[in-house]
Amino acid sequence: MNLPQAFIERTRQLLGETQYLPFEEALQTEVPVSIRPNLTKCDKPVEGEPIPWASSGMYLKSRPTFTFDPLFHAGCYYVQEASSMFVERVLQEYVKEPVVMLDLCAAPGGKSTLCRSVLPEGSLLIANEVMRNRSQILAENLIKWGHPEVIVTNNDPADFTDLTYLFDVILTDVPCSGEGMFRKDQVAVDEWSLENVDICWKRQRRILTDIWPTLKPGGLLIYSTCTFNREEDEDNVAWIAKELGAEILEVPTEAGWGITGNLIGKDFPVYRFLPHKTKGEGFFLAVLRKHGAVCDEIPKRISKTSARPDKKKKGKDAKQPLSVPKEAKTWLKDADAYDLTVNGTMVEAFPKSFLDIYSWVKQSLKVIHAGITLGEIKGKDLIPHHSLAMSTALTETYPKAEVTYEQAIAYLRKEGLVLDASVPRGYVLLTYRQVPLGFVKNIGNRANNLYPQEWRIRSGYLPEEIVTVW
C-alpha cells in the first residue's frame, strides 16, 4: 500500500515516531473478520474469539462465504467491523430507560442493528441515510434483523431540523475522509487529500448544527468517524462542546482492550481504535451530553403537531381506501399493540405506542420503511410480505416447510422450487435450520417464489468450498 506522503507526515506527527512505524505496518496486514449474532433469531454458539467490548460480537478464524450462507440472508447475524461495536458500551453505560434514538448516517446498517439489539425494550429507533440507493440497503438489513420498533428514512440532516427535541439519543457516524478504511479499501487511499480532510470537517460541523435542535436537553450525542486526523476527531468534539453546548462524557474501558485516548494534549475523553493496538479497523468515538434539562412540554408538542389532519382528495376523483383484511391481525404476536393501516395496496403494522411520533416524522421526512409490512392486497387475496417473514413478531399462522441448503440457495436466487408432496397448497413459510427464510405460494407442481427480486443472490455459481458461520 502506497500511502499519500501528506498523510504519512500528518499521522507521524499525531502519533509520534515510535507509534507511527507499527501503525503503518499494521495497515499492511489483513483485516480481522467479525460478526455479531442476532440473538432473537439464532442463539447457537459461534466458534471464534469474543470481542471484549461487545456482548455477542466474535472474531472469526477465517472469512466465511457470506453470500452463500442462508442464515446470513435470514438475519441471523451481521458482518460488522469490531471497533464500531464499541457503540454498545456507550448505550449500556448511559441508556437505562426506553428512548427515541436517531442513527443519522446509518447505511448499510451495522450500528443500527446493534443499537436496535441493545436498546431497552420499548425504545424506538429511527435510522436515516441521505443516499437513496444506500437507504434501500439500510431498510433491507433492518427488515432482515426483524425488530418492529424501527423507522427507516431517506433524508438530508437539514430535513430533521423541525423535529425539535424529538430524540433522547443521536448517533452521528458522520461521512469522513476514511483514513481508517485504508487497509480494506484502496479507493479510500486513492481519494485521500488534504483538501478532502478540510471539506469533511466542515461538512461534519454543518451536519451537527443541523441536527442539534432535534436532541433533547440532557440527551446524548454519540459522535464517531472512521478516520485518524485530529480535525475530524478531537477538534470537532471540542467544537461541539464549546459552540453547541455539551459535556463530554467518559465510557469505562479496560486497559487490555488497547483503546487509545486523546492525542492532542487535551484532557477530555475520546476513544481511538488504532490498528496496531486494537484488533479492528480505524475508528474514533466520543460521547457528549447536551446542556440543559428536559422540558415537560415536549410530549405535548409532539401530540399537538401530529394531530394535524392529512390532506386527502375529495369528490368523485377520490378513490375509496382499501380496508385492512381481518386475517392480517392473526399474523402478529400481541396484535393489539399494533396499528394496522393500508398504504396504497400494502398492509402495514406499526407499534401504537409511537403513533404520535410516527405521524410527526412523516410530515417532515421521507419514510421508506416503518414497523412491519404485513402483505399486499391483490383482489381478494392478501399476499404475505417478506418483512413479515423476517419479523420476530410473526405468529405460527402459516404452514412451514424445512428446505435443504441447495433449495435455500435456489430460493435466495429467486428460482422456482418444488416442495414435498406433503406440504399443503397455499402460502408457506420456508425455513432453513428452523429459521424463517421467506414465503412461497405452493400450487402443487411448483412453488412460486415470493423472495424480493432486488435482494436475490445474483451469482449463478457456487464456490468449490462453502464456509458458513454455523
Side-chain angles (χ1 to χ4, degrees):
M1 180 192 302
N2 294 318
L3 297 172
Q5 187 59 36
F7 170 79
I8 293 174
E9 293 171 359
R10 286 162 51 84
T11 310
R12 179 180 277 120
Q13 182 179 6
L14 181 68
L15 298 180
E17 189 66 33
T18 57
Q19 289 297 319
Y20 178 77
L21 293 177
F23 166 82
E24 185 173 298
E25 290 177 4
L27 292 183
Q28 314 299 326
T29 62
E30 291 187 3
V31 178
V33 180
S34 51
I35 67 165
R36 182 172 39 77
N38 184 352
L39 300 181
T40 63
K41 292 191 173 187
C42 297
D43 58 359
K44 303 171 186 176
V46 177
E47 290 187 10
E49 176 189 345
I51 297 171
W53 50 83
S55 59
S56 62
M58 297 291 289
Y59 296 107
L60 303 183
K61 295 179 181 178
S62 60
R63 186 176 186 84
T65 44
F66 294 120
T67 299
F68 298 98
D69 185 353
L71 295 182
F72 169 69
H73 297 276
C76 284
Y77 62 90
Y78 195 96
V79 184
Q80 184 177 11
E81 199 285 307
S83 301
S84 64
M85 296 186 200
F86 187 69
V87 171
E88 176 180 342
R89 304 296 297 187
V90 179
L91 297 177
Q92 288 180 334
E93 179 67 20
Y94 289 106
V95 181
K96 309 294 185 182
E97 303 292 336
V99 294
V100 178
M101 179 175 179
L102 171 65
D103 185 356
L104 181 64
C105 312
K111 296 180 185 67
S112 291
T113 54
L114 182 150
C115 294
R116 188 56 277 179
S117 291
V118 301
L119 284 172
E121 194 64 32
S123 297
L124 175 67
L125 174 69
I126 299 178
N128 177 72
E129 172 57 42
V130 65
M131 303 297 292
R132 187 176 183 277
N133 60 333
R134 285 170 56 82
S135 70
Q136 298 296 330
I137 297 170
L138 172 64
E140 175 185 345
N141 285 324
L142 279 167
I143 287 170
K144 288 177 177 178
W145 206 247
H147 200 293
E149 293 177 332
V150 167
I151 300 173
V152 181
T153 59
N154 172 210
N155 287 86
D156 186 88
D159 297 336
F160 284 80
T161 305
D162 289 340
L163 300 174
T164 308
Y165 295 167
L166 175 57
F167 300 109
D168 304 284
V169 183
I170 299 178
L171 168 60
T172 55
D173 187 43
V174 288
C176 67
S177 56
E179 297 165 353
M181 308 295 287
F182 281 3
R183 185 157 52 161
K184 66 178 182 180
D185 187 357
Q186 182 61 41
V187 174
V189 180
D190 296 339
E191 293 183 349
W192 186 92
S193 67
L194 289 174
E195 291 77 13
N196 192 38
V197 171
D198 190 58
I199 290 170
C200 285
W201 72 257
K202 291 175 181 176
R203 180 195 297 131
Q204 290 153 3
R205 293 188 184 186
R206 191 270 295 176
I207 290 171
L208 293 162
T209 302
D210 287 340
I211 208 70
W212 196 249
T214 73
L215 182 63
K216 293 178 182 177
L220 292 178
L221 176 77
I222 305 170
Y223 176 82
S224 65
T225 73
C226 58
T227 203
F228 300 119
N229 65 76
R230 63 172 289 171
E231 291 92 338
E232 299 177 71
D233 291 349
E234 284 96 340
D235 287 353
N236 265 354
V237 173
W239 177 86
I240 296 168
K242 180 180 179 181
E243 300 299 328
L244 299 183
E247 172 193 5
I248 304 171
L249 303 178
E250 186 173 358
V251 181
T253 61
E254 296 183 16
W257 297 352
I259 299 173
T260 302
N262 199 306
L263 290 178
I264 65 169
K266 304 294 183 179
D267 60 358
F268 58 84
V270 299
Y271 303 89
R272 283 180 170 272
F273 291 72
L274 302 174
H276 67 296
K277 288 189 172 185
T278 51
K279 192 174 181 179
E281 287 294 83
F283 185 64
F284 173 91
L285 181 142
V287 189
L288 302 98
R289 188 186 300 282
K290 186 174 184 177
H291 288 159
V294 177
C295 176
D296 292 337
E297 293 299 313
I298 293 170
K300 295 178 183 178
R301 242 180 122 266
I302 293 176
S303 298
K304 183 178 179 181
T305 308
S306 63
R308 283 183 268 176
D310 294 330
K311 294 182 179 179
K312 297 181 180 180
K313 289 184 178 180
K314 297 180 180 181
K316 62 181 181 179
D317 293 333
K319 289 185 178 180
Q320 193 67 22
L322 298 171
S323 58
V324 177
K326 293 180 180 179
E327 67 265 33
K329 199 168 184 179
T330 67
W331 296 353
L332 294 172
K333 300 173 185 175
D334 193 19
D336 289 338
Y338 295 89
D339 179 63
L340 273 60
T341 58
V342 179
N343 182 6
T345 60
M346 307 304 293
V347 181
E348 301 173 348
F350 191 80
K352 289 180 179 177
S353 55
F354 296 112
L355 278 179
D356 284 346
I357 291 176
Y358 185 31
S359 179
W360 192 20
V361 164
K362 285 192 292 185
Q363 294 173 26
S364 298
L365 306 178
K366 180 183 177 183
V367 175
I368 61 173
H369 172 73
I372 310 164
T373 304
L374 299 180
E376 182 177 8
I377 300 172
K378 284 194 174 181
K380 295 182 179 180
D381 207 6
L382 179 57
I383 304 171
H385 194 273
H386 194 72
S387 172
L388 176 66
M390 295 291 95
S391 177
T392 56
L394 174 64
T395 62
E396 299 290 330
T397 302
Y398 285 99
K400 295 180 180 179
E402 179 75 4
V403 296
T404 64
Y405 175 81
E406 291 74 17
Q407 287 176 310
I409 294 298
Y411 175 75
L412 294 167
R413 283 176 170 157
K414 188 68 175 173
E415 297 172 359
L417 298 176
V418 177
L419 302 179
D420 188 85
S422 63
V423 178
R425 296 193 180 197
Y427 296 111
V428 175
L429 180 65
L430 300 187
T431 61
Y432 175 73
R433 296 192 178 183
Q434 309 304 314
V435 177
L437 199 60
F439 288 109
V440 295
K441 186 175 184 180
N442 187 28
I443 58 175
N445 60 333
R446 71 177 190 278
N448 293 337
N449 193 327
L450 301 183
Y451 193 71
Q453 176 75 13
E454 62 275 17
W455 296 3
R456 72 191 188 283
I457 297 175
R458 289 170 171 79
S459 175
Y461 77 98
L462 281 175
E464 293 183 3
E465 182 182 7
I466 301 294
V467 180
T468 57
V469 171
W470 285 282

